Amino acid sequence: LEQKNDSFLMAKIMTMNLSGKRGSGGMINSKHLYLIMYSLFLLLISNGEVHAQSIHAVPGTFHSKNGYDTETGSDALCWETKGDTSPNNLSKTELPNNLVSGFFVSSGVELKTGCPKGMNVTGYVPELAINEKRRTETNYTYRVAIELNITELQGSEIISDKKERAAIQSQIILCKTGIVGFCSPYVHEQAANRLDALNITEKLRFGDQHGGTHVHAYGDFVSVPLGKSMGILSHKFEMDINVRVNDPGNFFAIAAVQFFMRNATNFIKYDMANAFNTRLLTYDTPPDLLLVNNGVAIVIICIIFVAAVAIIYLLLCTIKHRNNSVMELCQGAFLIVFLTAALFPTVGSFLLNPKNDVYCNLQGIFILIPLQFMYAITVARLWRIYAVMSPHIKKGKLKKNSISGYIFDCLTWFSSVNLTSCCQSSLQGITSTPRISISRLQLAKVVSLFTLPMVLMQVLRVIFEPKILAFKFNSDQSVGRAYCKSPNSEYGPLEITSAALLLGIFMFLLFMAYTSRHLPSFLNESHQIYNAALITVLVVAIGIFIIIITYSTSASPDAQYVLSVLIVICVTMNMSFGIIYPKLKIIWSGQKVVISKLMSDERQTLQPKDDNERKVDNVRVPIPSSFQEAEDAGHSWQPRTKQTSETNPTDSMIWVTDNDSPPRSLVLRMVGANEVLDQVTQRITSGLQVSRNDWEDIRGVCSDLGIVFDSRVKFEWEQEEL
């Protein structure tokens, strides 16, 4: 470099002297011209020497110009080998290869200081995800870009023994660091010669280390139409090569290309190699993937089977007794649908142990949608109770101006809206109806309102966010567990929305069940729903809490799988038995069911065809028209007498019989008295002071109720005794 600077300086000085002399009118003599030519000669020599060596290399410590054998070189290295296919000289060495059989080296292998112009090979390492490691016994696709130009090569065309006469072959070699010195395409031949000398025969699988020093993988043969006679001198292409490493370690990776040309006298083998863009590659053993124990999986299958059999039994019993008056009053068709929906997540809970992408995508369909459907039916049943009881609700039960009452009123309005008369329905008109009958269509509308959003979310998720099976590893990626994730993130927006919908309806059900738990209902169904919802929320909360605090990528997935399945089964079993079993128990016991006129919303289906007849102990008996009139007025029937005919209808006697429910007027008085008594009793048992007004209310309602029973209530059996 100093010589180069001196040459520039000398040339500059001589040019300045020459300019000065020419400016003074002097003539350029031969001595001056000689000095100028000498300085330019030194400059050319110095430029050539600098170009012929690596910029940072010390002379004598490098071979190529800027190849990968230098400190930071990135150019390919080229080897040229002359030989022939007739071993007439015993001193010749055979060089086995896959292109030309029986090739013998005649004059050794020469490493060029640089590849000819237009010749290059570049290797690209496959990209990995963030924090992902290369694993042994796993195939990775490496890409190799090849540039060929035979202009400066000896020979007229590329040849081979293959069917494609102009074939070349590429390969990837991973040299094990710490063992291999210089990683070149001839490492493979060196290892083969060493093993032959030691009389060692290896049986290698794809990905095994050859000779304990390197792993190599060949690419497909590529036909390259190059030939000087054809006028085609250059060609560029890329190819993918599958690489597999079976043993862990650190490797120096190179991409290599070999091909043969022939001139008039012999064959010439060309090798070209270059290091990958990432030179040091580390392969680690596959992580220990924690899977659910087979014994645990078998136990879970047995639990699922028992739970499914129990729900199927309830379903069959409900279908069998669907025409029973109890089931008709409870709209048994929806109970059958409810149990069918409960069966799907119970059976599908085994999908919580994902084994492939199909498991992941079926979880939402077989678990989330049926659970949403179950909760929707339960909410609809609570609304049905409210809609029937709303005309008779007083303070202390479910206030009509409360949040829950307003929500139920909105559902009542929604269930009554249709395409032909949607503008004629109003919230005020619905809630002011003296007596409301809830049809199956109205109940189905409310169920659909809460179910369709989940169905839509799951359909969109399967289409736009299909789940895939992935593995979550610990910090050093030595242990991992399988889980389901969205393609672009662990949890996609549609999946989060689906979870929010399920959690939302679950909390909504719990709130509405709590606020309506004291509503009068057939077989006390509102309180049963509240108890089932409360137990469900406790089980889910405890289970999820245990799953969160015990979750670890290094821990066995057995506990999480068992808890997840038990949570689903407890939800379905608790809701099913809590709502269905009490009704079946009444049917199995054969008890007589007396339906209160306060809550019977399907009156027309329960009455006989003849309005003047009623069943008493399964026998149709005639009912006088005066009974119908009294019942419609809220009172019980009594025979027409002179005394009663002259009495005000509001002061008529109230008859209580064994085979009929008490009149509505009596029930309303009893409900009102019970509300006041409940409030005061609750304050007393809680240690709170009871106000004077409350005591006066108790005295008033009890006194009124006593007067009614003393003066107006008559029992049928008392008349029979007389």
Side-chain angles (χ1 to χ4, degrees):
L1 293 176
E2 292 178 356
Q3 184 182 16
K4 177 180 178 181
N5 294 335
D6 292 341
S7 301
F8 274 113
L9 181 60
M10 183 178 294
K12 184 175 181 180
I13 293 173
M14 293 304 300
T15 304
M16 292 174 61
N17 291 337
L18 178 60
S19 300
K21 292 188 178 188
R22 288 180 61 88
S24 59
M27 300 294 294
I28 300 177
N29 54 30
S30 60
K31 181 179 180 180
H32 295 153
L33 183 61
Y34 170 75
L35 290 174
I36 293 174
M37 294 178 64
Y38 178 72
S39 62
L40 293 175
F41 176 72
L42 292 177
L43 180 61
L44 293 174
I45 293 177
S46 64
N47 285 339
E49 291 179 352
V50 171
H51 180 70
Q53 69 184 44
S54 180
I55 297 177
H56 303 289
V58 179
T61 63
F62 58 89
H63 182 81
S64 67
K65 299 176 182 179
N66 191 35
Y68 72 88
D69 61 326
T70 61
E71 179 193 12
T72 59
S74 58
D75 292 343
L77 296 178
C78 288
W79 289 261
E80 181 180 301
T81 305
K82 295 182 180 180
D84 54 53
T85 57
S86 57
N88 51 15
N89 189 344
L90 296 179
S91 62
K92 292 182 179 180
T93 302
E94 184 178 5
L95 192 63
N97 62 89
N98 298 322
L99 294 174
V100 175
S101 59
F103 178 77
F104 290 85
V105 180
S106 59
S107 58
V109 179
E110 179 184 2
L111 173 59
K112 299 292 185 179
T113 58
C115 290
K117 183 179 179 181
M119 299 284 290
N120 192 27
V121 58
T122 306
Y124 300 95
V125 176
E127 295 183 359
L128 301 178
I130 299 176
N131 297 327
E132 184 181 1
K133 294 184 177 181
R134 291 180 184 85
R135 301 295 181 180
T136 57
E137 300 181 356
T138 303
N139 290 343
Y140 294 94
T141 301
Y142 289 69
R143 173 151 292 191
V144 178
I146 301 173
E147 299 180 20
L148 299 178
N149 192 315
I150 63 175
T151 303
E152 300 181 6
L153 301 183
Q154 300 183 39
S156 59
E157 59 183 1
I158 296 178
I159 62 170
S160 69
D161 292 340
K162 301 298 176 182
K163 183 177 181 181
E164 303 85 0
R165 297 298 299 173
I168 70 170
Q169 188 175 38
S170 60
Q171 64 175 325
I172 292 176
I173 301 176
L174 305 180
C175 300
K176 194 168 184 179
T177 58
I179 297 179
V180 177
F182 175 55
C183 189
S184 71
Y186 290 93
V187 169
H188 180 67
E189 284 76 7
Q190 294 169 8
N193 292 335
R194 174 171 55 83
L195 295 177
D196 290 341
L198 298 175
N199 196 22
I200 297 176
T201 302
E202 290 184 327
K203 294 182 179 180
L204 301 178
R205 299 174 302 150
F206 177 57
D208 287 345
Q209 294 183 12
H210 185 203
T213 59
H214 70 282
V215 177
H216 64 272
Y218 289 104
D220 296 331
F221 294 100
V222 179
S223 177
V224 181
L226 292 179
K228 295 180 180 179
S229 60
M230 297 183 294
I232 304 175
L233 303 178
S234 62
H235 185 64
K236 296 181 181 180
F237 62 95
E238 294 183 355
M239 64 183 309
D240 294 333
I241 300 177
N242 288 327
V243 178
R244 180 187 179 96
V245 176
N246 296 333
D247 299 313
N250 297 322
F251 299 89
F252 185 91
I254 64 171
V257 178
Q258 63 176 341
F259 58 92
F260 284 82
M261 298 188 72
R262 182 171 56 187
N263 56 20
T265 57
N266 52 19
F267 290 85
I268 304 173
K269 179 176 180 290
Y270 288 98
D271 290 276
M272 182 169 54
N274 198 358
F276 275 81
N277 55 340
T278 302
R279 299 195 175 190
L280 182 63
L281 302 179
T282 300
Y283 277 82
D284 295 312
T285 55
D288 186 13
L289 299 180
L290 301 177
L291 304 176
V292 175
N293 186 274
N294 291 333
V296 174
I298 294 175
V299 172
I300 290 298
I301 293 298
C302 294
I303 294 175
I304 293 174
F305 176 77
V306 173
V309 169
I311 294 178
I312 291 175
Y313 176 73
L314 291 180
L315 177 61
L316 294 178
C317 291
T318 305
I319 296 175
K320 178 181 178 181
H321 300 288
R322 64 186 181 276
N323 295 325
N324 188 280
S325 59
V326 174
M327 289 300 174
E328 289 182 348
L329 285 169
C330 300
Q331 292 186 326
F334 282 89
L335 297 180
I336 294 174
V337 176
F338 178 87
L339 290 173
T340 304
L343 186 62
F344 278 91
T346 302
V347 176
S349 58
F350 77 94
L351 296 171
L352 296 174
N353 178 27
K355 297 182 179 180
N356 50 49
D357 296 348
V358 176
Y359 276 56
C360 295
N361 288 291
L362 290 180
Q363 287 178 357
I365 298 175
F366 281 89
I367 297 179
L368 295 183
I369 293 179
L371 287 178
Q372 186 85 6
F373 197 26
M374 287 177 54
Y375 292 142
I377 294 177
T378 308
V379 170
R381 296 192 67 80
L382 285 176
W383 161 76
R384 173 177 174 267
I385 295 172
Y386 169 82
V388 174
M389 296 301 302
S390 60
H392 315 292
I393 292 175
K394 297 183 179 180
K395 68 175 184 177
K397 290 295 180 182
L398 182 62
K399 296 180 181 180
K400 299 184 69 173
N401 58 352
S402 63
I403 297 177
S404 54
Y406 181 77
I407 294 175
F408 278 143
D409 287 340
C410 291
L411 293 179
T412 305
W413 173 82
F414 174 79
S415 67
S416 64
V417 173
N418 54 63
L419 296 178
T420 58
S421 60
C422 60
C423 298
Q424 300 175 1
S425 300
S426 63
L427 184 60
Q428 181 65 28
I430 292 298
T431 57
S432 62
T433 304
R435 187 185 182 101
I436 299 176
S437 177
I438 303 302
S439 65
R440 293 183 178 181
L441 178 60
Q442 289 177 292
L443 203 63
K445 287 182 180 180
V446 176
V447 173
S448 302
L449 176 65
F450 292 99
T451 306
L452 289 180
M454 176 63 77
V455 175
L456 179 62
M457 287 298 105
Q458 291 305 309
V459 171
L460 293 177
R461 187 194 59 77
V462 171
I463 297 175
F464 299 104
E465 289 182 4
K467 283 187 173 183
I468 59 175
L469 182 66
F471 293 91
K472 185 178 294 185
F473 302 98
N474 58 354
S475 56
D476 60 356
Q477 296 190 3
S478 60
V479 179
R481 292 174 56 175
Y483 76 108
C484 298
K485 65 180 292 291
S486 297
N488 300 324
S489 61
E490 186 170 351
Y491 301 105
L494 294 177
E495 184 177 5
I496 296 175
T497 304
S498 300
L501 286 174
L502 183 61
L503 179 62
I505 192 174
F506 183 74
M507 300 307 297
F508 179 74
L509 170 62
L510 182 63
F511 170 72
M512 303 308 294
Y514 173 77
T515 56
S516 59
R517 67 191 184 280
H518 294 307
L519 278 177
S521 57
F522 179 59
L523 300 181
N524 203 18
E525 185 175 13
S526 59
H527 193 71
Q528 294 169 0
I529 292 176
Y530 171 69
N531 289 337
L534 184 60
I535 295 174
T536 299
V537 72
L538 292 177
V539 170
V540 172
I542 294 174
I544 292 178
F545 177 75
I546 296 175
I547 289 176
I548 292 176
I549 63 176
T550 59
Y551 179 81
S552 173
T553 53
S554 302
S556 173
D558 293 346
Q560 183 180 4
Y561 177 51
V562 171
L563 286 174
S564 301
V565 172
L566 290 181
I567 288 174
V568 174
I569 291 179
C570 287
V571 169
T572 56
M573 293 284 288
N574 180 53
M575 297 296 292
S576 299
F577 275 84
I579 297 176
I580 309 298
Y581 181 74
K583 300 172 178 57
L584 292 175
K585 187 177 179 180
I586 293 295
I587 296 175
W588 293 333
S589 66
Q591 298 182 26
K592 294 181 180 180
V593 178
V594 179
I595 310 303
S596 173
K597 298 179 178 63
L598 193 63
M599 60 189 70
S600 176
D601 65 316
E602 296 186 0
R603 187 176 176 188
Q604 298 300 326
T605 62
L606 296 176
Q607 289 182 348
K609 294 182 179 180
D610 187 355
D611 290 339
N612 294 324
E613 291 184 350
R614 172 164 295 178
K615 276 189 177 181
V616 178
D617 292 336
N618 294 324
V619 178
R620 295 185 182 274
V621 296
I623 300 176
S625 59
S626 59
F627 182 91
Q628 300 293 333
E629 297 171 0
E631 186 182 45
D632 293 338
H635 309 291
S636 183
W637 167 79
Q638 62 176 338
R640 290 182 179 270
T641 62
K642 182 177 180 181
Q643 179 182 0
T644 57
S645 61
E646 296 175 356
T647 305
N648 192 314
T650 58
D651 297 330
S652 60
M653 304 302 293
I654 300 176
W655 285 84
V656 178
T657 65
D658 291 329
N659 301 308
D660 195 11
S661 61
R664 188 179 300 108
S665 60
L666 179 61
V667 175
L668 288 175
R669 291 179 181 272
M670 295 172 61
V671 170
N674 185 57
E675 290 177 356
V676 177
L677 288 172
D678 282 346
Q679 293 176 5
V680 175
T681 304
Q682 183 68 28
R683 294 186 64 85
I684 294 174
T685 56
S686 302
L688 301 177
Q689 184 180 5
V690 180
S691 66
R692 296 178 180 179
N693 293 333
D694 289 338
W695 283 115
E696 292 177 357
D697 289 342
I698 289 180
R699 182 171 60 180
V701 297
C702 292
S703 176
D704 292 342
L705 189 60
I707 293 174
V708 171
F709 270 89
D710 288 338
S711 61
R712 299 179 55 195
V713 174
K714 297 295 182 180
F715 299 106
E716 181 185 26
W717 53 89
E718 293 178 347
Q719 300 297 322
E720 293 176 354
E721 293 177 357
L722 295 177

